[in-house]
C-alpha cells in the first residue's frame, strides 16, 4: 500500500526527522537534501544490507572506498568529459532552463514556444585543487563511483591475487549538476551510489549479466521492494550509454511515476581498455582512444596463451537515495482501525528500521519505573541490534503512534507490574498484538522477532 503522493512522504520525512532540505534556513539549495536522525539510520541500514550481500556473503568480491575528487585524466579517458551531458534549452521569454528530453516543445514555466536549440550541458562539477588557481590544477567531483574501481583495478588485483570472475564493490557519494533536480530525493545533485564492478572473461559476460539481474531483483525483494513493484526495462540500443553493450534498468513506480531505481549494465572491456596504455595490443572489443597518459595495463595475462586479456565488466549500479525512497514508499500505509481512527505506519523490514525497539516507561516521573526502563534500554542496546530508543513522553498511546509512523518494529512498555514481577509488555508494530514477556527473556524474544521480521 504505497503512499498516495510524494507530498505524504515528504511531510512524514520532515515531521519525523528523516530528511530535510539542505541549507533550509538560508532558503535551501536546490537538489540537495540532508538526512536527519532517523534518515541517517535508515540509509546506513540499507547500505549495510547491500554491503553484506555484495561483499561479506560472497567469496568473489572485494570492497573499496576511493576518493571523491577525481583526476581530470580519469574522466577524460572514461569519456565523461566529452559525453556526460544532457541537452539543455533556454526559454527565450522567461529565461528558465530545461532538459530538452524532459519537456515538450513549450516552456513548462511560462508556456512560451520560443526555446533555444538544445546544446550539450556537461553534468560534472569541476573544482580547483591546491592554492593556485591557474586553470590547470582542477579536478572533478566523481559523477559515479565506478571510475575509482577501474583505476584501482591493478592495485586490488596485485594485493589480492584474484582470478576471474571477481568483483570490486564500492558505495558512496556521486555528484551531478542536474539541470532540473526534482521529485524530492529522486533526482538530486549530490547522491549516493552502491556499485559493483564484476569482472568476467569475455564470452561469459551475457550469462553473468542475467545472473546479476536476478540477484539484484532478489535483493530488492529482501528490502521490501517486491518483484511485482519493479519492471525490467531492456534499454534499446539507441539509448545505451557510450560504454554499454546491453543494460537492464530496474524501473520502480515511485510516487511521481515509473523511473529507474538501478541500472545493470554490461560495460564490456571499455573502461579498463580506455584507462590502459598500449590499448592497441590488447585485442579490445570496445572502441577506445589510444591512452598516452596512463602508466598501467589494466588486464590479466592468460595463463595458457600468455596473451593479455582485458576482462568484461558487469555493473549493477543502484542509487542509495532512490532506494530509501522506494523502501519508504513500499512500507508506507494508512490503516483504518476498528475504532474508526486511522494510523500511519511504516512497515519497514526490521533490518532497515531506524529504531529497532522503543522502551516506554508508563510514568515518566516514577522513579522505580524509570530506573527499570533505563536498565532495560541499556540491556537491549548492549545486544548490538541497532538503535534502541528510550521514549520518555509518558504517554503510551502517543508513543505507539509515533513509533508506528517511523517503522519501529516493537515497543516495550515498563509499568507497575514490572516492579512486581519484572515482566514487560511487548507491542508489535504490524499486528499491534501485545504480549507479556519476563525481562530476563526479553533479549532473546526481541532478537528472534527482529530476525524473522
Ligand atoms: P537517470 O536516467 O534517472 O538520470 P542514469 O541512467 O543517469 O539515471 P546511472 O548513471 O545509471 O543513472 O546511475 C546509476 C544509479 O544512480 C541510478 O540508477 C540511480 O539510482 C542513481 N542516480 C543517478 N543519478 C541520480 C541523481 N541525480 N539523483 C539520485 N540518484 C541518482
Amino acid at each position: 500500500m504505497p503512499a498516495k503522493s510524494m507530498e505524504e512522504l515528504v511531510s512524514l520525512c520532515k515531521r519525523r526527522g528523516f530528511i530535510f532540505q539542505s541549507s533550509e534556513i538560508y532558503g535551501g539549495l536546490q537538489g540537495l537534501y540532508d538526512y536527519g536522525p532517523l534518515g541517517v539510520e535508515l540509509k546506513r541500514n540499507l547500505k549495510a544490507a547491500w554491503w553484506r550481500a555484495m561483499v561479506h556473503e560472497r567469496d568473489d568480491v572485494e570492497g573499496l572506498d576511493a576518493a571523491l575528487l577525481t583526476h581530470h585524466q580519469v574522466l577524460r579517458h572514461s569519456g565523461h568529459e566529452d559525453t556526460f551531458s544532457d541537452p539543455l534549452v533556454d526559454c527565450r521569454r522567461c529565461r528558465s532552463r530545461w532538459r530538452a528530453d524532459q519537456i515538450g516543445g513549450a516552456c513548462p514555466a511560462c508556456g512560451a514556444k520560443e526555446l533555444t536549440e538544445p546544446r550539450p550541458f556537461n553534468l560534472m562539477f569541476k573544482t580547483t585543487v591546491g592554492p593556485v588557481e591557474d586553470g590547470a590544477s582542477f579536478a572533478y567531483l566523481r559523477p559515479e563511483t565506478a571510475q575509482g574501481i577501474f583505476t584501482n583495478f591493478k592495485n586490488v588485483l596485485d594485493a589480492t591475487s584474484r582470478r576471474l570472475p571477481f568483483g570490486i564493490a564500492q558505495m558512496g557519494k556521486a555528484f551531478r549538476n542536474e539541470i532540473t533536480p526534482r521529485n524530492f530525493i529522486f533526482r538530486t545533485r549530490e547522491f549516493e551510489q552502491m556499485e559493483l564492478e564484476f569482472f568476467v572473461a569475455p564470452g561469459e559476460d551475457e550469462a553473468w549479466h542475467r545472473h546479476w539481474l536476478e540477484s539484484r531483483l532478489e535483493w530488492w525483494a529482501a528490502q521490501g521492494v517486491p518483484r511485482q513493484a519493479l519492471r525490467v526495462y531492456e534499454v534499446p540500443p539507441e539509448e545505451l550509454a557510450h560504454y554499454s553493450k546491453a543494460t537492464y534498468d530496474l524501473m520502480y513506480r515511485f510516487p511521481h511515476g515509473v523511473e529507474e531505481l538501478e541500472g545493470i549494465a554490461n560495460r564490456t572491456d571499455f573502461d579498463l581498455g580506455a584507462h590502459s596504455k598500449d590499448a592497441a595490443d590488447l585485442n579490445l572489443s570496445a572502441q577506445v582512444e589510444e591512452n598516452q597518459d596512463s602508466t598501467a595495463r589494466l588486464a590479466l595475462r592468460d595463463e595458457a596463451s600468455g596473451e593479455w586479456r582485458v576482462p568484461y565488466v558487469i555493473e549493477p549500479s543502484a542509487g542509495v537515495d532512490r532506494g530509501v525512497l522506494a523502501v519508504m514508499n513500499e512500507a508506507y500505509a494508512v490503516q483504518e482501525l476498528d475504532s474508526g481512527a486511522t494510523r500511519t505506519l511504516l512497515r519497514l523490514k526490521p533490518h532497515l528500521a531506524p529504531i529497532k525497539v522503543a522502551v516506554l516507561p508508563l510514568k515518566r516521573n516514577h522513579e522505580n519505573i524509570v530506573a527499570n526502563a533505563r536498565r532495560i534500554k541499556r540491556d537491549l542496546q548492549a545486544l548490538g541490534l541497532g538503535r534502541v530508543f528510550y521514549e520518555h513522553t509518558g504517554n503510551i498511546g502517543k508513543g505507539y503512534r509515533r513509533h508506528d509512523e517511523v517503522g519501529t518494529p516493537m515497543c516495550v512498555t515498563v509499568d507497575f507490574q514490572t516492579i512486581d514481577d519484572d515482566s514487560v509488555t511487548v507491542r508489535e508494530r504490524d499486528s499491534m498484538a501485545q504480549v507479556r514477556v519476563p525481562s530476563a527473556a526479553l533479549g532473546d524474544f526481541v532478537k528472534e522477532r527482529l530476525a524473522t521480521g
Side-chain angles (χ1 to χ4, degrees), residues 306-354:
E307 281 183 7
W308 288 99
R309 202 162 63 160
V310 179
Y312 267 43
V313 64
I314 306 300
E315 175 198 70
S317 168
V320 177
D321 313 82
R322 289 185 190 181
V324 167
L325 191 56
V327 159
M328 285 190 86
N329 188 44
E330 282 301 309
Y332 186 90
V334 179
Q335 267 182 358
E336 209 162 300
L337 304 172
D338 291 342
S339 62
T342 56
R343 68 163 183 152
T344 305
L345 76 160
L346 277 186
R347 283 207 206 87
L348 294 171
K349 297 276 182 191
H351 71 280
L352 296 180

Side-chain angles (χ1 to χ4, degrees), residues 147-159:
Q147 295 305 321
I149 296 181
F150 299 130
T151 54
N152 277 294
F153 176 77
K154 197 168 177 312
N155 288 334
V156 174
L157 202 62
D158 291 349

Side-chain angles (χ1 to χ4, degrees), residues 1-52:
M1 211 182 325
K4 283 192 198 67
S5 66
M6 190 71 100
E7 286 68 42
E8 273 181 310
L9 282 182
V10 174
S11 146
L12 172 69
C13 283
K14 164 110 206 237
R15 195 169 66 245
R16 294 302 192 191
F18 282 90
I19 298 163
F20 309 122
Q21 192 184 11
S22 195
S23 307
E24 193 180 8
I25 62 166
Y26 288 104
L29 248 178
Q30 220 200 336
L32 297 169
Y33 289 90
D34 298 336
Y35 285 76
L38 297 184
V40 62
E41 301 282 346
L42 172 56
K43 183 159 109 158
R44 282 186 185 193
N45 291 342
L46 187 67
K47 286 161 61 182
W50 186 88
W51 196 258
R52 246 187 339 262

